[in-house]
Amino acid sequence: MDIHSEAIFIHKKKYLDNYIFIFYTKNNGLIEFFINTVYKNKILNSLKPLSIVNLTFYNKNSYFKYKNHENDNLTMSIYEDFNKSCVTFFLADFINNVCEKNNSNFKFFDFLKNSVLILETTDRSISNFHICFMIKSLRFLGLDLVLKKEDLYLDLKEGVSTKITPKNSDYINQDEKNIIINLRNCKLSECHNIKINKIKRKKTIINLIKFYNLHLENFNKINSHEILEELFN
């Protein structure tokens, strides 16, 4: 029986002489399709990261099989803007790391879709966009931080701020913590209003990646943030 779901294309990866296409679906979470190179589908092969689609697939022998999709055409201009397209590659890399296979998260899907549409339509600076997205993703993933502005440190291992120096070495100072608070408290569409210099921006994303590494067992290294660091310097 066919399964229909709104979905966001993440990326494709080569496997021997074939490809694996990865989608984040509203109804089934992160799913993968093994696509034989003999399978001719120009539309499928032309998909770009974070394309919003209506996906049709089916289950066969405990594996999902791709059938077809229709583009929503809601993200056409992102790929004409070099900066925005670089951000989409980072976000796709991030989503592939934090989302569980075959496990739906309706609220996170809606947040992701809305974020993509904000990125599509904004004409403001997006130098903070990917960082703000990572911070706001925390509560949807059950990893939300407990933060107080007046506290002096953020214990990354415990996920809480504190007035005393944590006993472990995985903590950040008050200034670095308050950048996270400021970005968490603002709307994603208004994150350009938070002024962060390039050094602090780089440090903030390193801190966030470290936090995700500490709390998600399968969180792999994200290299694409280094491109964004150069881009938004």
Side-chain angles (χ1 to χ4, degrees):
M1 185 173 73
D2 286 349
I3 303 170
H4 304 278
S5 179
E6 194 172 14
I8 296 173
F9 176 63
I10 304 303
H11 72 136
K12 68 177 180 180
K13 57 184 180 182
K14 194 168 180 58
Y15 179 75
L16 299 178
D17 293 329
N18 302 297
Y19 283 96
I20 295 173
F21 284 74
I22 301 172
F23 290 82
Y24 187 62
T25 67
K26 185 165 189 174
N27 297 333
N28 298 84
L30 201 69
I31 61 175
E32 298 182 346
F33 300 117
F34 180 85
I35 305 293
N36 192 290
T37 51
V38 176
Y39 190 92
K40 302 295 183 182
N41 190 322
K42 291 182 179 180
I43 297 177
L44 182 63
N45 283 309
S46 66
L47 280 172
K48 292 182 171 52
L50 304 191
S51 297
I52 301 170
V53 302
N54 293 307
L55 186 65
T56 302
F57 54 102
Y58 59 96
N59 196 313
K60 183 178 180 181
N61 299 326
S62 299
Y63 290 96
F64 288 122
K65 300 292 185 179
Y66 170 84
K67 187 171 184 181
N68 58 59
H69 76 272
E70 294 179 359
N71 289 327
D72 256 358
N73 296 322
L74 296 174
T75 54
M76 299 301 291
S77 71
I78 282 181
Y79 313 109
E80 298 170 0
D81 184 307
F82 180 73
N83 288 5
K84 288 184 178 182
S85 63
C86 288
V87 170
T88 64
F89 277 97
F90 172 84
L91 296 183
D93 197 5
F94 172 74
I95 293 160
N96 192 47
N97 269 279
V98 301
C99 294
E100 296 181 32
K101 291 181 181 178
N102 308 331
N103 188 9
S104 61
N105 185 333
F106 297 134
K107 290 183 179 180
F108 183 68
F109 180 90
D110 290 340
F111 166 69
L112 172 58
K113 179 183 176 182
N114 185 57
S115 300
V116 173
L117 296 179
I118 290 172
L119 183 61
E120 165 74 16
T121 57
T122 189
D123 58 359
R124 303 284 189 153
S125 168
I126 55 171
S127 58
N128 294 333
F129 191 93
H130 57 300
I131 305 174
C132 191
F133 179 88
M134 290 180 73
I135 294 168
K136 290 184 176 298
S137 293
L138 289 168
R139 70 184 182 93
F140 297 104
L141 301 170
L143 298 172
D144 207 3
L145 297 165
V146 179
L147 301 172
K148 292 181 180 179
K149 198 93 173 180
E150 64 272 17
D151 284 343
L152 301 179
Y153 306 97
L154 168 58
D155 187 330
L156 295 176
K157 187 170 288 186
E158 298 298 327
V160 297
S161 60
T162 176
K163 288 184 172 63
I164 59 174
T165 308
K167 294 180 180 180
N168 65 75
S169 60
D170 297 315
Y171 65 88
I172 61 177
N173 63 37
Q174 186 178 35
D175 185 45
E176 294 168 346
K177 167 186 65 68
N178 287 343
I179 290 173
I180 293 175
I181 290 177
N182 291 338
L183 286 170
R184 186 174 72 171
N185 290 344
C186 77
K187 294 180 179 179
L188 187 61
S189 58
E190 297 175 358
C191 64
H192 58 275
N193 290 324
I194 307 299
K195 305 304 179 185
I196 311 172
N197 65 40
K198 62 181 181 181
I199 296 173
K200 291 182 178 180
R201 186 182 297 117
K202 179 179 180 179
K203 184 62 176 176
T204 301
I205 197 166
I206 289 172
N207 290 335
L208 288 169
I209 289 174
K210 186 173 186 179
F211 177 80
Y212 276 101
N213 265 313
L214 286 168
H215 294 272
L216 295 179
E217 184 178 351
N218 296 319
F219 192 86
N220 298 315
K221 184 179 180 182
I222 297 179
N223 294 316
S224 49
H225 76 89
E226 295 168 358
I227 298 172
L228 297 182
E229 288 170 15
E230 294 297 322
L231 187 65
F232 296 130
N233 272 349

